[in-house]
Amino acid sequence: MSDEISDADRLGRLEGIQRHLQSIEGKFPYLHLPNLFAADPVAEPPYIVSSSFIPESIGGNIRVIERQKNGDYAPLDTENLEQMLGSFLPGGYKQRWKFYLWQGEWDIVRDRQGYADIEPMFEFRENHQLEDLLGTDTEDFTGMGLSTDAVSVYVPQAMYVSRLPKSTEYQWHIGLQNIVADREPMGETLSLGSSDPTTNYLWFRYHLEEFSGDRTAFDESSLVDGYRFEPDTEFLRCYYASLLTLYEKENNDTLSRTLRYEHGTDDTDAFVGARERSQLLLFELDREEIRDRIERVFSEHLDIKRDLQFSLLYREVWDRLFFTEEILEHVFLVDPFVKHLLGADFWCRDTNSYDAESVFDLSMGDLESILEDLLGPEDSGGRLTLMGYEEARSSDVLAILRKHPDLIEALLDTCSDDDALRDFAEEVVIHSVEHALSTWANEETPAGGSFELWYDVNFQQRDDSVAHAGIYDSIQGGAGIATEVHDYLGTDDIELDSGVGSQAACHTAAADLTAIELLAEGDGDVLYNLFEEQRPEPTNAAEDTESSKSSDDSSGQDHPGDGVASATGFRGEVVDARDAVLGETTDGYNLSDLTTLAENRVRSLFETRETARFYAYVAEQYEAVEETVGRTPRSVDLLLHLDRDIIRDPRVRETYQRFAQGTQRRDLSELGERLEELTMQCVTACPDCLETEESDCVHGMKYQSELLNRRLLREVCLD
């Protein structure tokens, strides 16, 4: 406990004790201290027991107070701090206490567009200059490169909220670049109606202390130099902006806007912080070894390198065109923008009409010319319009290219720079290892449970030989889970590299490849006949026909002595395609589950004999497209290939034309949807392999999957 207690803390403790005594009156003859700690805003971890039904958060508790219209205050509850910050920071609205609609008591900043004043919303326990925490002139966490002497970090101890009417109307104030609920300020506004904005919060974690745990060398791994166990460590989680997605009422337009924070009295940019205290298992990753392996992967797998180029492009478009420069109107335009450049990349490589090997080598004049051609009027054969994109005269992508050619050229130059790509690949590997360590620990050690994730996102700004990645308990003060994993690392025969690499085994990706292999190598009509013959039989992942190919564990390895049984009919074709895709690489796969998943994948394509025939033809073209682009084909690549291809089977050609002319949704053509069905759903990562909940990953609200790469991770770990 702290020796010095403020008047606000004393009031909060009295309120908490009063509520606790009222709650146990007539029920228990004794006072239970953990329950009392839960109502005490001054109690320090690990004694705080949150009253929230979400026990994993580790930032402690906060007292929540209602600011009523008559100016009075009424305590509501003691709640989990990070849950409250993730719901009520500026731009956040949530149904909570007694199912009323609530918002935080923040104010609009009149003289700064896009800022919210957080001072009236909180009572702060402490505040720090960001410069004192980081020890640098600028910060590298947010992407904004802020001067650290102009930013303060505030850690709250109480939060004020107000109740809104059930029929709340939202407005976006254009001049102030701010959202207003249930009132309309002076000036021009956009009506958002009663549709709540979608609000995500951008944050980062900073480790507050020097690592002090004893270092243990780890000879069993070539990537991990060593590890440390920190039994009591502390992070500061800093929220620095609200990312709002707004739905305009009149024209049904979608807008994305960013709200940053300031503290009015201090007249400074503000980050809102939550101290997180728990047990940490820290790994030291050998940067030199990782970079050497990345070079080998690049030389042996050019397709992985080119996939990474477009992941880097996605990050650059998100960071600069959307977040920093606010050129893209909303966050959902990032993916279409990249898809346009993917289309230009295919066109450049397929036609060989330009003095460039890829879109990254094109001049801005040539890029504009290609996009004008691909986005020509629909009635004159505009190709990308078949994906549902706007034609040239109304294309936002072309307009941005024409207005900001220097910026677009700079983005493409970054992606074509070998040093920048190697640095990006290194960060992708470290980030992927971080995610894989967590899932590996859950699967392979006695600990079970789940972990908070952390890696030093600024490791490249330091000239260290190692990069740090860690997993720590998701329970305040630690629950012994990290201890269990630490103890497990001290046992014999730990194969950490292969264990981490096996986390990249993605059943979704393998099932997609199996479906493509099956359809590409077979005749659509024959496969459909086999499929129809099997249709009455329910799919069973434990069929005897798979007994020689699968096991009950997750390794997917054959059991010595199993009888040899071969599947027949449609399932036999799926098994053969599966084996062709996996080859000898079966670690991490459950072959029986994979077969069932692939069967279900094909079943979704075989609506009719006509669709079976069409998808078989498209799958047959997949390899040609892959060879042309030198990377994982996307739906836009297949579409442009088919547009140039001579389809000789009149039945397939008729189906193609029907899909090209039909539209089932306003914003996406049927042909685009159909082709999306036969492309890889997991190009870099997905929830089946490395992705985690958005709120658990520092990049989750931005571009988590683009900063993960299951194939690169596997190649680096299994070298």
Side-chain angles (χ1 to χ4, degrees), residues 310 313-314 316-318 320-322 327-345 359 364 367 371 375 384 389 395-405 407-409 411-412 636:
F310 280 95
L313 176 63
Y314 191 101
E316 291 294 308
V317 170
W318 201 101
R320 299 179 67 179
L321 294 189
F322 167 67
I327 293 171
L328 296 181
E329 190 68 19
H330 57 80
V331 70
F332 303 115
L333 287 177
V334 175
D335 186 66
F337 192 95
V338 174
K339 288 283 182 62
H340 279 72
L341 297 183
L342 280 163
D345 182 67
V359 68
M364 291 302 96
L367 178 56
L371 289 179
L375 295 169
L384 283 182
Y389 299 141
S395 169
D396 290 334
V397 175
L398 260 178
I400 291 170
L401 175 61
R402 290 165 177 159
K403 188 175 182 179
H404 306 279
L407 180 54
I408 305 303
E409 186 174 23
L411 298 185
L412 297 178
V636 65

Side-chain angles (χ1 to χ4, degrees), residues 544-611:
D544 291 339
T545 55
E546 282 294 285
S547 62
S548 67
K549 295 290 187 179
S550 63
S551 64
D552 291 335
D553 59 26
S554 61
S555 68
Q557 298 299 304
D558 298 346
H559 285 277
D562 278 351
V564 177
S566 59
T568 59
F570 183 70
R571 170 167 281 252
E573 297 290 336
V574 173
V575 170
D576 290 343
R578 179 205 69 191
D579 292 345
V581 166
L582 293 183
E584 300 297 322
T585 310
T586 58
D587 288 345
Y589 291 100
N590 183 300
L591 301 185
S592 179
D593 288 349
L594 176 54
T595 302
T596 301
L597 186 61
E599 276 192 294
N600 292 336
R601 188 79 180 85
V602 177
R603 180 176 289 107
S604 69
L605 303 174
F606 280 20
E607 300 173 24
T608 64
R609 184 180 298 276
E610 178 191 16
T611 59

Side-chain angles (χ1 to χ4, degrees), residues 603-630:
R603 180 176 289 107
S604 69
L605 303 174
F606 280 20
E607 300 173 24
T608 64
R609 184 180 298 276
E610 178 191 16
T611 59
R613 192 184 297 121
F614 173 75
Y615 284 122
Y617 179 81
V618 175
E620 187 181 342
Q621 305 302 308
Y622 187 92
E623 184 177 350
V625 175
E626 189 173 29
E627 185 176 346
T628 296
V629 297

Side-chain angles (χ1 to χ4, degrees), residues 230-343:
E230 304 284 340
D232 186 8
T233 194
E234 193 169 30
F235 287 88
L236 185 66
R237 176 164 169 157
C238 293
Y239 296 82
Y240 60 89
S242 303
L243 179 59
L244 310 178
T245 302
L246 313 170
Y247 309 98
E248 199 268 327
K249 183 178 180 180
E250 297 299 327
N251 299 319
N252 200 31
D253 291 334
T254 300
L255 309 171
S256 289
R257 296 293 184 267
T258 302
L259 276 181
R260 291 164 60 181
Y261 317 137
E262 80 161 28
H263 187 281
T265 300
D266 295 344
D267 193 25
T268 179
D269 278 21
F271 293 170
V272 183
R275 287 183 175 270
E276 300 178 339
R277 179 180 170 190
S278 193
Q279 296 177 343
L280 169 69
L281 181 59
L282 186 73
F283 295 88
E284 298 177 349
L285 306 175
D286 187 336
R287 292 187 61 190
E288 183 178 0
E289 180 67 25
I290 288 173
R291 290 182 76 92
D292 286 345
R293 294 192 181 195
I294 288 171
E295 286 292 341
R296 180 194 61 77
V297 174
F298 280 3
S299 65
E300 296 179 4
H301 301 276
L302 292 178
D303 55 332
I304 295 179
K305 180 178 180 179
R306 283 190 47 77
D307 279 344
L308 279 168
Q309 279 187 294
F310 280 95
S311 289
L312 176 55
L313 176 63
Y314 191 101
R315 186 182 75 171
E316 291 294 308
V317 170
W318 201 101
D319 281 348
R320 299 179 67 179
L321 294 189
F322 167 67
F323 183 65
T324 305
E325 302 294 337
E326 297 184 343
I327 293 171
L328 296 181
E329 190 68 19
H330 57 80
V331 70
F332 303 115
L333 287 177
V334 175
D335 186 66
F337 192 95
V338 174
K339 288 283 182 62
H340 279 72
L341 297 183
L342 280 163

